[in-house]
Amino acid sequence: MSDKNEKVDVEQLSEEEQQKLMEKYDTESNQRKLGGILGWVVFLTLIAFSLFHLYTGAFGAKTAYIQRTIHLGFALSLIFLLFPAKKGLKKSSVPWYDWILIILSIIVCAYWPLFYDDLVVKVGSIDNTQMIIGGIAILLVLEAARRAVGLPIVIIASLFLAYAYFGQSMPGMLAHRGMTLNQLINTMFFTTEGILGTPIQVSSTYIFLFLLFGAFLVQTGVGLYFNDLALAIAGRRVGGPAKVAIFSSALNGTISGSSVANTVTTGSYTIPMMKRLGYRPNFAGAVEAASSTGGQIMPPIMGAAAFLMIEFAGVPYWDIAKAAVIPALLYFTGIWVMTHLEAKRLGLVGLPKEELPDKVQVLKKLYLLLPILAIVYFLFEGFSIERTALYGILAAILVSMFSKDTNMFLDENGKFTLGKLLTALTDGARTALGVAAATACAGIIVGVVTRSGLGLKLGNSLVGLAESIAFNDMMLILLTLFFTMITSIIIGMGSPTTANYIITSTIALPAILTLSDQLEMAIPVLAAHMFVFFFGIVADITPPVALAAFAATGISGGEPIRTGVNATKLAIAAFIIPYMFIFEPQLLMIDVTFLGLTWIIITALTGMIAIGAGLIGYWYRKLAWFERIIAFVAGILLMYPEGNSDLIGAIIFAVMLVIQFMGKNKTNSNEEKQAANA
């Protein structure tokens, strides 16, 4: 542990060190480094993958089965080319068994485009050949997901397949008619209820293009610009590096679909800065992990989950992005407040001026934010999501040409090059591989739930468990939400954002909808989806499987579990806000007036200050244990959007503020007297 006077000599991680760290904690980063002919094969296939989606985005997607199977075929082939069967295997060549898997992937996914007319005519029944094709497809998807996403989602999907097949043998309410092997394979690969269902439909249209948009933004230098902008805005403030981490992670979250990747890339320079200033390693790692995880709930892209939510919740994109604004604001405000109070408690100051970028030069590059603003504008104007993504990519290319430093078509010597353009196309396709595998695998889960009615049964079981404990309706509501929260966190552990949301909305969400029907609460569907989405996301910082927090310790040198505990404390807003918008959907800007919204924001932000003070144990001075409890309770009352609770919370907050301020002046006066006597 470092105190404020201890100088910590730390260096920013190199790109190679960052890559090793991501490979350790982020399954999607564990890829082969192929050269020679194989390198060219990978390069050209990645380019073709991106060009296919740019073409269908511009001129219209193919029919459902063809669009999705071509997307899946590219993804499976590239995954078996790039991802080794397990960590530690040689990464400079492709073993013979992976070539077999690649050939099988091409055959299986080409089957639909080649025999489309026959398959559509016979939809609902399959022959022996199609049984084999479909069976191989399921196995390939499971193996690809294991390599590119991780084991948790494969285990869940496999259990669901077993549940579908052995339905008649299941006990009690879990029992169902069951599915024959023929029915199971037919559903999973020859209908749009399984692998080729809604999840991969979104992946093959909306998500891919937005991942490509993010890759183009990176090539314009917007990622580095986010860091400079954060330093210019927050670097000189109390505890500057921590606030830089919060600000830059929030901005990077708009183009990053991974909590771990965001933690490593942004944390490679913010965590060393925090340690050098005097933050403890566990706290420094927690700030970055919590901030980077929050990037997944940051509009407009929200880790690509926003586009899945359009299909799953049946809500327009703009309503989803709008609904995420206040929760994201409260989330990052909570982290900001707690890092500020921790810095005040430790007596930490900001970064010296010479370590900060020139503000004038930073402001001159504000044009780099125009593509993101363009995305928001086009979506607000009602453009289709595919068209919006394409316009965003074009905007990124055009904006990059405003300066020689950011121009995608000039190298370091000012000569014309297509290198950055091709890199954007390949990086976007690489990023999409894990998403494609995750959505295909999640489609298996969704298909089983749809055919067996398991979602309703799980919802009834969670509500039934709550009913067996609750003694009134309010207790029933709170217990059901609590059980749903725990389920979402457990399911979300180790899963990427897209798969995370698909699984939680399929398995955990029905409990809230069942409760809504049972008590006639009229919980908005969007509020229920946002509830499970939030808790699935915070699994990345919730011990014992807190991948973002663990990745941060690789940079900070802290202890994984303690870093995770600190990150959970910093992200306390994410554990409180979802309950609030179930009871009062105004937090999601649903049926709210301008004055009502203004009041909600003011009281909620004030509440986060009180909660932060209670958790850190410092305000204007150190808080006694009972003061911490009072501050926390006042914060909860202020955050809950209801008149009486706001009034009581505001009174407690005002009284504590006066006491704190008077205590601060008294402490300062005593210190001055002691100094004079000395």
Side-chain angles (χ1 to χ4, degrees):
M1 183 183 298
S2 305
D3 61 32
K4 63 183 179 182
N5 297 315
E6 181 182 0
K7 183 179 179 180
V8 183
D9 186 20
V10 288
E11 296 289 338
Q12 180 176 331
L13 265 66
S14 66
E15 289 187 13
E16 185 178 349
E17 290 171 322
Q18 291 180 42
Q19 184 60 31
K20 287 181 179 178
L21 197 56
M22 283 199 286
E23 287 178 7
K24 183 177 180 181
Y25 294 106
D26 184 18
T27 306
E28 294 180 37
S29 300
N30 185 37
Q31 298 184 19
R32 295 184 176 113
K33 280 60 173 188
L34 300 174
I37 295 176
L38 284 179
W40 277 103
V41 169
V42 170
F43 172 77
L44 293 174
T45 308
L46 288 168
I47 294 290
F49 196 13
S50 289
L51 291 178
F52 168 74
H53 285 87
L54 286 172
Y55 176 82
T56 55
F59 299 104
K62 304 291 184 183
T63 56
Y65 289 110
I66 294 177
Q67 177 80 15
R68 299 171 199 184
T69 48
I70 291 176
H71 177 76
L72 182 63
F74 269 116
L76 292 178
S77 303
L78 284 164
I79 286 170
F80 294 126
L81 260 177
L82 289 170
F83 290 82
K86 64 178 182 178
K87 292 181 180 180
L89 292 180
K90 190 177 180 182
K91 292 187 178 181
S92 58
S93 61
V94 180
W96 62 269
Y97 53 82
D98 277 347
W99 284 113
I100 293 175
L101 295 179
I102 291 166
I103 293 169
L104 287 174
S105 298
I106 295 170
I107 292 172
V108 163
C109 292
Y111 194 82
W112 258 109
L114 290 175
F115 299 98
Y116 177 77
D117 292 335
D118 292 338
L119 290 171
V120 169
V121 170
K122 297 194 305 180
V123 68
S125 62
I126 55 175
D127 57 30
N128 290 334
T129 301
Q130 289 150 9
M131 276 274 291
I132 295 171
I133 291 289
I136 293 173
I138 294 171
L139 295 175
L140 289 172
V141 165
L142 292 173
E143 173 60 11
R146 185 190 70 82
R147 296 191 188 193
V149 184
L151 197 55
I153 191 174
V154 177
I155 293 174
I156 295 173
S158 300
L159 289 174
F160 271 72
L161 285 171
Y163 173 76
Y165 186 73
F166 295 106
Q168 293 180 331
S169 304
M170 291 290 119
M173 64 180 296
L174 292 178
H176 64 97
R177 291 175 57 189
M179 298 170 69
T180 65
L181 191 60
N182 184 292
Q183 290 172 328
L184 187 59
I185 292 175
N186 180 46
T187 299
M188 289 301 121
F189 194 65
F190 292 97
T191 72
T192 53
E193 292 182 359
I195 292 170
L196 303 180
T198 299
I200 204 166
Q201 176 254 321
V202 179
S203 173
S204 65
T205 51
Y206 311 153
I207 294 178
F208 190 99
L209 290 173
F210 269 90
L211 293 175
L212 203 55
F213 167 67
F216 273 86
L217 278 184
V218 170
Q219 291 306 310
T220 65
V222 75
L224 292 175
Y225 179 68
F226 283 159
N227 300 337
D228 288 342
L229 184 61
L231 281 167
I233 292 173
R236 289 281 287 169
R237 299 180 181 276
V238 172
K243 291 172 181 175
V244 170
I246 298 166
F247 198 84
S248 60
S249 295
L251 290 173
N252 276 302
T254 63
I255 59 173
S256 170
S258 167
S259 302
V260 173
N262 203 0
T263 298
V264 173
T265 52
T266 308
S268 67
Y269 76 95
T270 59
I271 292 175
M273 281 197 300
M274 282 188 270
K275 289 180 63 179
R276 188 171 71 245
L277 189 67
Y279 281 106
R280 296 161 294 164
N282 292 327
F283 191 85
V287 170
E288 183 55 54
S291 301
S292 293
T293 299
Q296 305 307 292
I297 63 173
M298 185 74 177
I301 298 176
M302 299 165 62
F307 308 117
L308 285 163
M309 210 173 287
I310 295 170
E311 302 295 334
F312 279 69
V315 177
Y317 170 84
W318 189 248
D319 287 350
I320 296 168
K322 184 175 64 174
V325 170
I326 295 177
L329 174 66
L330 294 176
Y331 181 91
F332 286 105
T333 297
I335 302 175
W336 186 286
V337 167
M338 281 186 264
T339 54
H340 175 80
L341 294 176
E342 177 75 359
K344 296 285 286 185
R345 187 178 71 83
L346 296 175
L348 306 180
V349 294
L351 291 167
K353 189 175 181 179
E354 56 270 17
E355 292 188 21
L356 302 176
D358 182 83
K359 287 186 178 180
V360 175
Q361 295 303 315
V362 171
L363 290 174
K364 283 182 178 179
K365 290 186 179 180
L366 270 175
Y367 62 83
L368 288 173
L369 300 181
L370 288 175
I372 296 174
L373 297 177
I375 287 286
V376 175
Y377 170 78
F378 289 130
L379 288 170
F380 180 74
E381 288 295 314
F383 283 71
S384 69
I385 295 175
E386 296 96 325
R387 190 69 59 183
T388 296
L390 289 173
Y391 289 160
I393 292 170
L394 289 174
I397 294 172
L398 292 173
V399 162
S400 78
M401 299 171 70
F402 288 2
S403 167
K404 290 182 179 180
D405 296 335
T406 60
N407 197 314
M408 291 186 65
F409 299 105
L410 297 178
D411 63 16
E412 295 176 356
N413 300 317
K415 294 182 179 179
F416 177 79
T417 178
L418 291 176
K420 290 183 179 179
L421 179 69
L422 296 175
T423 300
L425 291 172
T426 56
D427 285 354
R430 281 180 187 270
T431 307
L433 297 180
V435 176
T439 51
C441 194
I444 294 174
I445 299 169
V446 175
V448 173
V449 170
T450 302
R451 290 297 298 267
S452 66
L454 181 61
L456 182 60
K457 293 174 183 177
L458 290 173
N460 287 330
S461 65
L462 285 179
V463 174
L465 178 61
E467 282 180 327
S468 66
I469 304 171
F471 49 80
N472 59 31
D473 284 351
M474 179 55 71
M475 182 63 72
L476 172 61
I477 295 167
L478 289 173
L479 284 173
T480 302
L481 292 176
F482 176 76
F483 294 145
T484 305
M485 174 189 78
I486 297 300
T487 303
S488 298
I489 291 174
I490 292 172
I491 292 171
M493 290 179 174
S495 297
T497 302
T498 46
N500 192 325
Y501 168 66
I502 295 168
I503 300 171
T504 53
S505 63
T506 303
I507 298 175
L509 175 70
I512 301 177
L513 300 181
T514 300
L515 180 70
S516 177
D517 293 338
Q518 185 170 318
L519 298 181
E520 298 182 355
M521 284 180 64
I523 298 173
V525 172
L526 180 57
H529 279 266
M530 291 289 281
F531 185 93
V532 297
F533 173 59
F534 260 64
F535 285 118
I537 292 300
V538 297
D540 279 343
I541 52 173
T542 306
V545 185
L547 293 183
F550 289 4
T553 61
I555 304 171
S556 69
E559 302 169 51
I561 296 298
R562 292 184 67 181
T563 298
V565 170
N566 275 302
T568 302
K569 182 172 72 174
L570 288 169
I572 187 66
F575 293 88
I576 298 172
I577 296 168
Y579 287 89
M580 301 307 178
F581 56 61
I582 288 292
F583 290 108
E584 292 293 339
Q586 292 97 321
L587 277 173
L588 300 179
M589 294 198 227
I590 297 174
D591 297 329
V592 65
T593 62
F594 176 76
L595 289 177
L597 180 62
T598 304
W599 178 250
I600 287 172
I601 293 174
I602 292 172
T603 54
L605 291 176
T606 307
M608 282 313 308
I609 295 172
I611 289 172
L615 290 174
I616 295 296
Y618 188 90
W619 203 334
Y620 285 104
R621 59 169 173 79
K622 185 177 179 180
L623 296 179
W625 65 268
F626 62 89
E627 290 178 308
R628 297 178 69 171
I629 294 174
I630 293 172
F632 188 86
V633 171
I636 294 293
L637 290 170
L638 282 164
M639 285 194 68
Y640 183 70
E642 191 271 331
N644 292 330
S645 67
D646 286 343
L647 179 62
I648 297 170
I651 292 171
I652 298 172
F653 182 89
V655 171
M656 285 202 69
L657 189 64
V658 171
I659 294 172
Q660 280 287 303
F661 194 74
M662 291 174 63
K664 172 196 173 187
N665 291 337
K666 186 176 179 180
T667 301
N668 290 342
S669 177
N670 290 335
E671 289 176 353
E672 289 173 3
K673 288 179 181 178
Q674 290 173 3
N677 292 333

